[in-house]
Amino acid sequence: MDFYQPSLGHQFINGYQVQGQGPTLPRISPATGEELLEVDTATDEQVDQAVKAAATAFPSWSTLTPGERSDHLLAFARELQLHADELAAVETSQTGKSIRMSTEFDVPGSIDNVNFFAGAARNLQGLAAGDYAGNTTSMIRREAIGVIGSISPWNYPLQMAAWKILPAIAAGNTIVLKPSELTPGTSVLFAKAAIDAGLPAGVINVVLGDGPRVGSALVRHPLVKMTSFTGSTAVGLKIMSMAAERGNRVHLELGGKAPFVVFDDADIEAAAHGAVAGSTINSGQDCTAATRAYVHSSVFKKFTSRVAELMDAMVVSDPTDPDTDMGSLISEAHLDKVAAMVQRAEDSGAKVLAGGRREERPGFYYRPTLLVGAKQDSEIVQQEVFGPVLVALPFDSDDEAIELANDTPYGLAASAWTKNVDRAMRASAQIQAGCVWINEHILIVSDMPHGGYKASGMGKDMSQYSFDEYTNVKHVMLSHDPAAHRDWQDTVFKQR
Ligand code: NAD
């Protein structure tokens, strides 16, 4: 493992992996409950150094041609590919997710994101030049914003690093990323691969530490021109008010509570498989996870029995074992939170059809869980659990299904299961979410946008649409009017 040397520290500032001078944080292995490593953290001074390194790198990085930036990103993707196995191993070790997830989803997805933005960098689109006011021509310049301060969560550390970093730097910005203090490893590796691939020092920097101290120092730094954040809605709102102190731009990817609507004409076997994969992916710690299944009452029993059967057959075990379907949750505190929410649901009358208990082994494991009998306005239906917990509720009419699907503060993702094209089109139009899958749930592609409605945030990750967050659009108007006094100026002063 010469690629990654944790002993060097966890910050990546101006092209170097350095030891943080702030307090260290012990990190417990989610898979075993034993101490994994001591994570060093940045001081305010080191946050300042990282932001200044990004600010220094900005003028030359932002004025490279798109083709030159694209070449750098292609080299970056190749470097990441060389270290794919190691990235997957570190991702599983720090999160407790199954090695199949890291190897088949997180690492290839992140590398694909780098490759996508290598292409997208050469395709920053704007309006064609047009003559809108007589003897003038208008054109659009899309310009990089400057230093982006970015903050990411622990559930998909590598993919979130990619989603935050790639559109920002492809558009010509430079970045300082603060990953979750729980999962620093692959973000540091990501920055290191970029340097090894020849990206200029300072384009990507990583600082580590807790949110209130290091995160807010980054958001409030005077040279940071925009904050892009992925995490909980509660913290996102704090970020928004901190950024508002200086009128800075924010891009927020926040929590979710995705509905999963099964109409009576759906392929129930496909819907059951979709529900199990969609609710247990990443141990349910996925912002787009299927969390609320609304199922037509005529197929409710058939659907829930099959989901329970499939959940009960899942292997919840050592994440490094390729036969494991689902690894651990991220921490003991999070496991306790998930277990307590299920318990409160049961205490309020919900019934457990599958799981509803911890997996008895060292580490922080919880069985895939299916609940029925909860009320629409109960905590388990309204609040994010962020664990492998699906609640199923019956409905009787299409209108009711759509109304229930929209009845939470969130709006990140949703799915509808039907063979009827009218229903499919209606659900996709009427469900208030940034993504609506039809007869699918969870699948994402770098080419398409990801982002929320309502309390799930604002702005888009991935795809060409993410450039709207990371660029300023400038109107340039050029006059080719031969007259010294232009006709429109008569409104202001007449030529005499
Ligand atoms: P979190 O909000 O607790 O933390 C996210 C990040 O914010 C971490 O790096 C943390 O250190 C930092 N932070 C915390 N307090 C801060 C503060 N006061 N100032 C600055 N930074 C601060 O979220 P989490 O528990 O790490 O992740 C889970 C959440 O992320 C869930 O709500 C999930 O839905 C959401 N999420 C959303 C998306 C999306 O694309 N919409 C993707 C992944 C995760």
Side-chain angles (χ1 to χ4, degrees):
M1 282 218 182
D2 58 347
F3 176 50
Y4 182 42
Q5 294 173 282
S7 59
L8 290 181
H10 292 98
Q11 326 302 306
F12 215 94
I13 302 175
N14 203 22
Y16 292 97
Q17 190 177 332
V18 293
Q19 191 81 37
Q21 301 301 315
T24 54
L25 301 170
R27 183 66 193 110
I28 304 298
S29 161
T32 64
E34 287 164 8
E35 187 165 327
L36 190 62
L37 75 167
E38 285 266 309
V39 175
D40 56 288
T41 66
T43 57
D44 286 2
E45 203 180 4
Q46 287 180 306
V47 172
D48 182 56
Q49 284 166 8
V51 173
K52 285 184 174 148
T56 304
F58 178 71
S60 52
W61 179 252
S62 59
T63 49
L64 289 182
T65 64
E68 287 167 332
R69 278 200 295 274
S70 173
D71 286 347
H72 276 299
L73 298 187
L74 289 170
F76 183 15
R78 286 193 295 273
E79 184 67 27
L80 287 166
Q81 191 63 57
L82 291 178
H83 300 288
D85 290 346
E86 192 179 345
L87 282 162
V90 175
E91 192 73 336
T92 281
S93 152
Q94 65 181 354
T95 58
K97 70 176 71 190
S98 77
I99 191 68
R100 290 211 310 265
M101 274 291 292
S102 295
T103 309
E104 296 170 19
F105 184 65
D106 294 89
V107 173
S110 303
I111 296 174
D112 185 65
N113 214 253
V114 182
N115 275 318
F116 172 80
F117 280 103
R122 303 186 77 152
N123 194 25
L124 261 176
Q125 292 175 347
L127 206 63
D131 297 355
Y132 300 101
N135 290 323
T136 65
T137 299
S138 285
M139 50 199 162
I140 291 295
R141 291 174 60 85
R142 264 188 187 266
E143 297 179 344
I145 294 168
V147 177
I148 312 296
S150 199
I151 297 180
S152 59
W154 48 257
N155 60 336
Y156 290 108
L158 180 64
Q159 295 210 72
M160 293 304 106
W163 289 17
K164 302 280 98 176
I165 291 173
L166 266 304
I169 67 170
N173 303 283
T174 55
I175 194 162
V176 180
L177 172 74
K178 190 206 85 64
S180 168
E181 59 276 30
L182 299 180
T183 52
T186 42
S187 299
V188 182
L189 287 181
F190 202 65
K192 173 148 175 30
I195 288 294
D196 290 350
L199 262 79
V203 173
I204 301 175
N205 306 273
V206 177
V207 291
L208 197 74
D210 64 87
R213 187 175 65 80
V214 180
S216 60
L218 181 59
V219 180
R220 291 200 155 108
H221 195 290
L223 293 178
V224 169
K225 301 297 179 210
M226 167 183 165
T227 300
S228 75
F229 171 82
T230 300
S232 62
T233 299
V235 175
L237 296 180
K238 286 187 194 162
I239 301 280
M240 206 174 178
S241 67
M242 277 188 265
E245 290 165 13
R246 287 187 298 114
N248 267 4
R249 190 187 287 213
V250 288
H251 168 211
L252 302 174
E253 295 286 355
L254 308 178
K257 190 76 191 172
F260 185 104
V261 182
V262 185
F263 292 99
D264 56 2
D265 63 315
D267 176 337
I268 298 301
E269 186 63 10
H273 280 256
V276 173
S279 62
T280 64
I281 185 168
N282 213 40
S283 304
Q285 302 164 129
D286 182 306
C287 51
T288 59
T291 58
R292 302 176 282 139
Y294 297 106
V295 188
H296 192 270
S297 43
S298 66
V299 290
F300 190 80
K301 189 141 194 326
K302 187 174 173 194
F303 172 83
T304 51
S305 314
R306 186 65 176 131
V307 168
E309 192 177 35
L310 291 169
M311 281 183 166
D312 283 342
M314 283 182 74
V315 178
V316 181
S317 186
D318 174 4
T320 62
D321 183 340
D323 287 334
T324 289
D325 294 318
M326 215 177 80
S328 68
L329 301 185
I330 189 71
S331 66
E332 186 165 24
H334 190 57
L335 170 62
D336 288 345
K337 179 198 147 188
V338 170
M341 284 183 87
V342 172
Q343 186 59 56
R344 283 197 292 275
E346 281 190 82
D347 293 346
S348 321
K351 195 170 149 220
V352 170
L353 291 194
R357 61 181 170 82
R358 297 163 198 244
E359 184 72 51
E360 291 310 330
R361 49 178 293 123
F364 315 126
Y365 298 83
Y366 199 77
R367 289 290 315 169
T369 295
L370 177 64
L371 292 167
V372 294
K375 296 211 162 48
Q376 174 64 19
D377 63 359
S378 64
E379 176 192 60
I380 202 85
V381 176
Q382 293 291 322
Q383 303 296 322
E384 206 178 21
V385 180
F386 224 53
V389 178
L390 180 67
V391 190
L393 296 95
F395 70 84
D396 290 312
S397 72
D398 289 14
D399 283 347
E400 186 190 1
I402 303 287
E403 194 182 319
L404 291 169
N406 285 331
D407 177 32
T408 72
Y410 298 105
L412 189 57
S415 65
W417 296 74
T418 175
K419 291 182 196 144
N420 178 319
V421 72
D422 295 342
R423 274 179 167 160
M425 292 309 290
R426 191 167 162 234
S428 66
Q430 295 186 349
I431 295 180
Q432 297 151 4
C435 170
V436 177
W437 289 283
I438 305 293
N439 298 325
E440 189 51 88
H441 199 106
I442 285 292
L443 266 188
I444 48 168
V445 286
S446 301
D447 318 63
M448 285 288 127
H450 167 91
Y453 282 25
K454 303 184 346 193
S456 292
M458 57 185 76
K460 299 294 172 192
D461 278 330
M462 306 202 289
S463 82
Q464 292 284 146
Y465 291 95
S466 62
F467 286 142
D468 292 342
E469 319 306 326
Y470 293 102
T471 53
N472 278 318
V473 173
K474 181 183 279 177
H475 170 210
V476 177
M477 183 186 263
L478 188 145
S479 172
H480 35 86
D481 192 332
H485 184 88
R486 316 277 154 82
D487 289 347
W488 71 265
Q489 293 171 345
D490 280 353
T491 310
V492 185
F493 74 107
K494 294 270 188 200
Q495 183 164 11
R496 302 209 158 75

